[in-house]
Amino acid sequence: GRFSRENLSLDKLPLIFSAIAVFAAGTLTLVAYDLGRHSMHMALHIAGSGPELEAVRAYVEQRAVPNVVFEGDVSGARKAELLPRTHVMLLPTFHGEGLPNCILEGMLFGLAIVTRPVAAIPEIVKHEVNGLLDESLDAAAFAAALGALVEDPGMLRRMAIANRDVAVRRFTPSIVRERLTAIYTAMVRGPCAV
């Protein structure tokens, strides 16, 4: 059947924060901004590792920040179990890492994407269509984006369905393999074949 997020529960909106390579300033900044003070009932699952992880962990413990779960590096079966229980992929990246795989994975699982418009991200994530983009690294901007999704479950649902549809049409392994094979075949045949 068609993918649906009709059973979307907003009682505790689970978020997945996925940081690739550097688990850095964006994480600590977001956790430092106490989302609970703004009556957003969310669980923040922090996935990944990096040099600032212990500082983030200490900050959360010292201030008793509620609903923060440190997932560590998540892959394989754990990722396949965690992502379907999540509604939003939060990636306040400041790196120009191309197009992070975690965004494509989040799209495949029907997550709305909240991120910054850096590198190739805005080619895939369209503001207010399948995600929310913000230039800022300020935690308040990301909290506002998350609040907008909490306040408008219809928008969250539309983004989830749009992301799943785009990912299935463009980014499954078999489709990417076909595109790459066509590119490499054209390259082998030479410039006249292109």
Side-chain angles (χ1 to χ4, degrees), residues 166-188:
V166 167
V168 166
R169 279 188 289 107
R170 296 183 56 193
F171 299 115
T172 59
S174 61
I175 290 172
V176 171
R177 185 174 36 255
E178 286 174 20
R179 281 201 320 256
L180 288 175
T181 300
I183 291 168
Y184 289 132
T185 301
M187 288 172 53
V188 168

Side-chain angles (χ1 to χ4, degrees), residues 29 62 68 83 98 102 107 114 118 124-125 143 148 150-151 163-164:
T29 302
Q62 290 167 359
V68 176
L83 290 179
C102 66
M107 290 173 69
V114 176
V118 297
I124 303 302
V125 179
V150 168
E151 294 297 318
N163 276 333
R164 173 72 179 176

Side-chain angles (χ1 to χ4, degrees), residues 71-156:
E71 300 287 353
D73 288 325
V74 178
S75 63
R78 278 196 65 228
K79 185 184 294 183
E81 185 269 327
L82 180 62
L83 290 179
R85 295 185 295 118
T86 305
H87 299 101
V88 178
M89 171 71 69
L90 176 62
L91 184 69
T93 185
F94 54 92
H95 297 287
E97 66 251 42
L99 180 60
N101 280 338
C102 66
I103 287 181
L104 299 178
E105 292 166 342
M107 290 173 69
L108 187 60
F109 280 93
L111 279 59
I113 308 297
V114 176
T115 189
R116 296 185 65 242
V118 297
I121 291 172
E123 294 175 30
I124 303 302
V125 179
K126 304 298 181 195
H127 186 65
E128 295 185 349
V129 175
N130 63 332
L132 298 175
L133 298 172
D134 198 303
E135 293 277 350
S136 178
L137 279 172
D138 181 43
F142 288 102
L146 298 173
L149 292 173
V150 168
E151 294 297 318
D152 190 349
M155 177 171 61
L156 179 61

Side-chain angles (χ1 to χ4, degrees), residues 2-7 157 161:
R2 185 165 167 78
F3 176 81
S4 172
R5 283 279 183 155
E6 292 302 318
N7 60 350
R157 196 171 287 111
I161 292 168

